[in-house]
Structure formats: structure tokens, C-alpha cells
Amino acid sequence: MNQNQPNTLPPEYFDHVYQANRDPWNFETSPYEQAKYAATLAALPRPHYAEAFEIGCSLGVLTAQLAPRCGHLLAVDVSEAALAQARARCAGLPQVDIQLMQVPNEFPTQPFDLILVSEVGYYWSPADLARAAELLIAGLQAGGQLLLVHWTPPVHDYPLTGDDVHEFFLAKTAESGPLRHLGGQRHETYRLDLLEKR
């Protein structure tokens, strides 16, 4: 972890990125992203989740693919520019609720049986990661699942790496911890871990 206790990247950072490029990470067109989305969906062991929460939905590309497996899917992001595209993409999916929300400063009150944290944890400061983890675990129903998917190479701007994020959560799977580790995958530039609340 960066020892300078870096700050969480602010919403303005993402607004500038999306204003410069409507799909800055090529979520819509990249074969890498498509393969990662397929691996993400394949890692989910249940065919259906009644209440799901996606943090950092961006343009809603993965949101639209996840929606058919959800009774209700709350998808949030800090960038209104990204959410406008997500709303358009998911307009025909009545189970999807797209909201502007900055986790961990804001957090929904209903319990979830699936929370997806994909490519967002490394934007948090170490302190916000710890706060977010407490909220995520509290927000899961018993037996609810937490799926983490993150790019692993370090990025200069980001407070944490994907490995920092995953190792922080995996530390909570010790014998007396609140989570159990159901499985993980490490690919060339990203990793995926599925956790379940005890």
C-alpha cells in the first residue's frame, strides 16, 4: 500500500475522464473487457440473485449483462456523465435502478445477496477501503456473496492496487472472520475473488 495515506479519487477526477472520452477504458469494445465480463458472470454460482448491488457501474456495460440474473439490481457510480450512458443502455431493464452514489460516504440501507465491486476498490484510500469493507459486510445477508474483480498492475494515480484490495478482504476470511473465500482466479492483468458472508 502507498504509505502516504493517499486520498480517495474524487468524483471530479472521473467526470474529467468521461468528458475527455465517452468510453475511456474501452468497456464497450475491448476484447479484454468482454472476456473479463464473461469470467465475472461465470464466477457467480447462483442463477438468480434477488437483491444485487453493483458499485462503480460506469457506462453500464456489465450492468446490462448482470441484470437478467437479478430480481433487483442497484447500480451506482460517482460520475453523472457515466451514469447518463448507463441509464440509456439499461432503459429496457426495469429491474435496474441506477443512482449517483459515492461509497463509502453514502450506502444503501437494504440488504443484498450479491455485491459486486469491479474495478473500483483501488480508487479508495486505505481508510475508505476499511470503511467500505465494514459497510459491504454489514450490507450482505447471511450467505450473501461479494465478488471482487480488479486490474492488478499498479497505476500511478490510484491510491491502492487491485492486490491491496483483495488481500484486505481475504484477511477477513480467517477462521473467526465474517467472510469465507469460495474461490478465486488470477489472470494476466486482473484477479477475481468470490467471498460469502458466514
Side-chain angles (χ1 to χ4, degrees), residues 56-134:
C57 67
S58 184
L59 311 180
V61 179
L62 181 58
T63 313
Q65 296 179 37
L66 179 61
R69 292 176 61 177
C70 302
H72 174 249
L73 172 57
L74 172 61
V76 305
D77 203 278
V78 298
S79 170
E80 193 56 67
L83 291 174
Q85 294 188 59
R87 286 190 187 100
R89 178 171 279 107
C90 298
L93 299 166
Q95 72 272 47
V96 177
D97 179 16
I98 293 174
Q99 293 184 23
L100 185 70
M101 186 180 291
Q102 189 178 10
V103 175
N105 298 334
E106 303 164 287
F107 204 83
T109 53
Q110 74 263 41
F112 298 98
D113 54 352
L114 172 65
I115 299 178
L116 175 61
V117 182
S118 177
E119 309 295 4
V120 71
Y122 41 57
Y123 297 131
W124 288 325
S125 66
D128 278 348
L129 174 64
R131 284 173 60 212
E134 284 182 24

Side-chain angles (χ1 to χ4, degrees), residues 37-46 49 69 145 147 185 192 194:
Y37 294 153
T40 299
L41 295 169
L44 294 172
R46 298 179 195 160
Y49 293 86
R69 292 176 61 177
Q145 295 175 347
L147 182 60
Q185 304 169 23
L192 181 156
L194 181 66

Side-chain angles (χ1 to χ4, degrees), residues 139-159:
L140 281 172
Q141 300 171 13
Q145 295 175 347
L146 172 64
L147 182 60
L148 307 169
V149 187
H150 289 87
W151 173 262
T152 46
V155 179
H156 170 71
D157 285 355
Y158 300 174

